[in-house]
Short mmCIF file of all heavy atoms in Angstrom, two decimals:
data_model
loop_
_atom_site.label_atom_id
_atom_site.label_comp_id
_atom_site.label_asym_id
_atom_site.label_seq_id
_atom_site.Cartn_x
_atom_site.Cartn_y
_atom_site.Cartn_z
N ALA U 147 -163.40 -17.95 49.22
CA ALA U 147 -164.13 -16.95 50.01
C ALA U 147 -165.58 -17.39 50.21
O ALA U 147 -166.14 -17.23 51.29
CB ALA U 147 -164.07 -15.58 49.34
N ALA U 148 -166.18 -17.95 49.17
CA ALA U 148 -167.55 -18.42 49.28
C ALA U 148 -167.64 -19.62 50.23
O ALA U 148 -168.57 -19.72 51.02
CB ALA U 148 -168.09 -18.79 47.92
N GLN U 149 -166.67 -20.50 50.17
CA GLN U 149 -166.65 -21.66 51.07
C GLN U 149 -166.44 -21.21 52.51
O GLN U 149 -167.04 -21.76 53.43
CB GLN U 149 -165.57 -22.64 50.65
CG GLN U 149 -165.88 -23.38 49.37
CD GLN U 149 -164.72 -24.24 48.90
OE1 GLN U 149 -163.61 -24.12 49.41
NE2 GLN U 149 -164.99 -25.09 47.93
N ALA U 150 -165.58 -20.23 52.72
CA ALA U 150 -165.34 -19.73 54.07
C ALA U 150 -166.60 -19.07 54.63
O ALA U 150 -166.93 -19.25 55.81
CB ALA U 150 -164.19 -18.74 54.07
N ALA U 151 -167.31 -18.34 53.81
CA ALA U 151 -168.54 -17.70 54.27
C ALA U 151 -169.61 -18.75 54.59
O ALA U 151 -170.34 -18.62 55.58
CB ALA U 151 -169.06 -16.73 53.21
N ALA U 152 -169.70 -19.78 53.77
CA ALA U 152 -170.67 -20.84 54.03
C ALA U 152 -170.33 -21.59 55.31
O ALA U 152 -171.21 -21.94 56.10
CB ALA U 152 -170.73 -21.79 52.85
N THR U 153 -169.05 -21.85 55.53
CA THR U 153 -168.62 -22.53 56.74
C THR U 153 -168.90 -21.68 57.97
O THR U 153 -169.36 -22.18 59.00
CB THR U 153 -167.11 -22.87 56.66
OG1 THR U 153 -166.89 -23.67 55.51
CG2 THR U 153 -166.65 -23.60 57.90
N GLN U 154 -168.64 -20.39 57.89
CA GLN U 154 -168.89 -19.50 59.01
C GLN U 154 -170.39 -19.41 59.32
O GLN U 154 -170.78 -19.44 60.49
CB GLN U 154 -168.34 -18.11 58.72
CG GLN U 154 -168.42 -17.17 59.89
CD GLN U 154 -167.81 -15.81 59.60
OE1 GLN U 154 -167.54 -15.48 58.45
NE2 GLN U 154 -167.60 -15.03 60.62
N THR U 155 -171.21 -19.36 58.29
CA THR U 155 -172.65 -19.34 58.50
C THR U 155 -173.13 -20.63 59.14
O THR U 155 -173.95 -20.62 60.07
CB THR U 155 -173.38 -19.12 57.15
OG1 THR U 155 -172.91 -17.89 56.58
CG2 THR U 155 -174.88 -19.06 57.34
N ARG U 156 -172.61 -21.77 58.66
CA ARG U 156 -172.99 -23.06 59.23
C ARG U 156 -172.57 -23.14 60.69
O ARG U 156 -173.33 -23.63 61.54
CB ARG U 156 -172.34 -24.19 58.44
CG ARG U 156 -172.78 -25.57 58.91
CD ARG U 156 -171.92 -26.66 58.36
NE ARG U 156 -170.61 -26.53 58.97
CZ ARG U 156 -169.48 -26.88 58.38
NH1 ARG U 156 -169.49 -27.34 57.16
NH2 ARG U 156 -168.33 -26.75 59.01
N ASP U 157 -171.38 -22.66 61.01
CA ASP U 157 -170.91 -22.68 62.39
C ASP U 157 -171.79 -21.83 63.30
O ASP U 157 -172.10 -22.22 64.42
CB ASP U 157 -169.46 -22.21 62.48
CG ASP U 157 -168.48 -23.19 61.85
OD1 ASP U 157 -168.87 -24.35 61.59
OD2 ASP U 157 -167.32 -22.79 61.62
N TRP U 158 -172.22 -20.66 62.81
CA TRP U 158 -173.10 -19.80 63.61
C TRP U 158 -174.46 -20.46 63.81
O TRP U 158 -175.05 -20.34 64.89
CB TRP U 158 -173.27 -18.43 62.94
CG TRP U 158 -172.19 -17.48 63.32
CD1 TRP U 158 -171.13 -17.09 62.55
CD2 TRP U 158 -172.03 -16.81 64.57
NE1 TRP U 158 -170.34 -16.22 63.24
CE2 TRP U 158 -170.87 -16.03 64.49
CE3 TRP U 158 -172.76 -16.81 65.74
CZ2 TRP U 158 -170.42 -15.25 65.54
CZ3 TRP U 158 -172.31 -16.02 66.80
CH2 TRP U 158 -171.16 -15.26 66.69
N LEU U 159 -174.96 -21.14 62.80
CA LEU U 159 -176.25 -21.82 62.94
C LEU U 159 -176.17 -22.97 63.94
O LEU U 159 -177.07 -23.15 64.76
CB LEU U 159 -176.72 -22.34 61.58
CG LEU U 159 -177.24 -21.29 60.61
CD1 LEU U 159 -177.53 -21.92 59.25
CD2 LEU U 159 -178.48 -20.62 61.16
N ILE U 160 -175.09 -23.72 63.91
CA ILE U 160 -174.91 -24.81 64.86
C ILE U 160 -174.77 -24.26 66.28
O ILE U 160 -175.38 -24.78 67.22
CB ILE U 160 -173.69 -25.67 64.47
CG1 ILE U 160 -174.00 -26.45 63.19
CG2 ILE U 160 -173.31 -26.62 65.59
CD1 ILE U 160 -172.80 -27.16 62.61
N ALA U 161 -173.99 -23.22 66.45
CA ALA U 161 -173.80 -22.62 67.77
C ALA U 161 -175.11 -22.02 68.29
O ALA U 161 -175.44 -22.16 69.47
CB ALA U 161 -172.71 -21.55 67.72
N SER U 162 -175.87 -21.38 67.43
CA SER U 162 -177.16 -20.81 67.85
C SER U 162 -178.14 -21.90 68.24
O SER U 162 -178.85 -21.78 69.24
CB SER U 162 -177.76 -19.97 66.72
OG SER U 162 -176.90 -18.91 66.40
N GLY U 163 -178.19 -22.97 67.46
CA GLY U 163 -179.08 -24.08 67.79
C GLY U 163 -178.70 -24.74 69.11
O GLY U 163 -179.57 -25.08 69.91
N ALA U 164 -177.40 -24.90 69.34
CA ALA U 164 -176.94 -25.49 70.60
C ALA U 164 -177.27 -24.58 71.78
O ALA U 164 -177.65 -25.07 72.85
CB ALA U 164 -175.44 -25.76 70.53
N ALA U 165 -177.12 -23.28 71.59
CA ALA U 165 -177.44 -22.34 72.67
C ALA U 165 -178.93 -22.35 73.00
O ALA U 165 -179.32 -22.33 74.17
CB ALA U 165 -177.00 -20.93 72.30
N ILE U 166 -179.77 -22.41 71.98
CA ILE U 166 -181.21 -22.46 72.21
C ILE U 166 -181.60 -23.75 72.91
O ILE U 166 -182.39 -23.74 73.86
CB ILE U 166 -181.97 -22.28 70.88
CG1 ILE U 166 -181.81 -20.85 70.38
CG2 ILE U 166 -183.43 -22.66 71.01
CD1 ILE U 166 -182.30 -20.62 68.98
N LEU U 167 -181.04 -24.86 72.47
CA LEU U 167 -181.31 -26.15 73.12
C LEU U 167 -180.84 -26.15 74.57
O LEU U 167 -181.53 -26.66 75.46
CB LEU U 167 -180.65 -27.28 72.34
CG LEU U 167 -180.97 -28.69 72.78
CD1 LEU U 167 -182.45 -28.96 72.62
CD2 LEU U 167 -180.16 -29.67 71.98
N ALA U 168 -179.69 -25.55 74.84
CA ALA U 168 -179.18 -25.47 76.21
C ALA U 168 -180.07 -24.60 77.09
O ALA U 168 -180.32 -24.93 78.25
CB ALA U 168 -177.75 -24.92 76.21
#
Side-chain angles (χ1 to χ4, degrees):
Q149 289 174 348
T153 302
Q154 186 177 14
T155 302
R156 185 193 68 211
D157 291 346
W158 274 104
L159 286 174
I160 290 172
S162 299
I166 290 170
L167 187 62

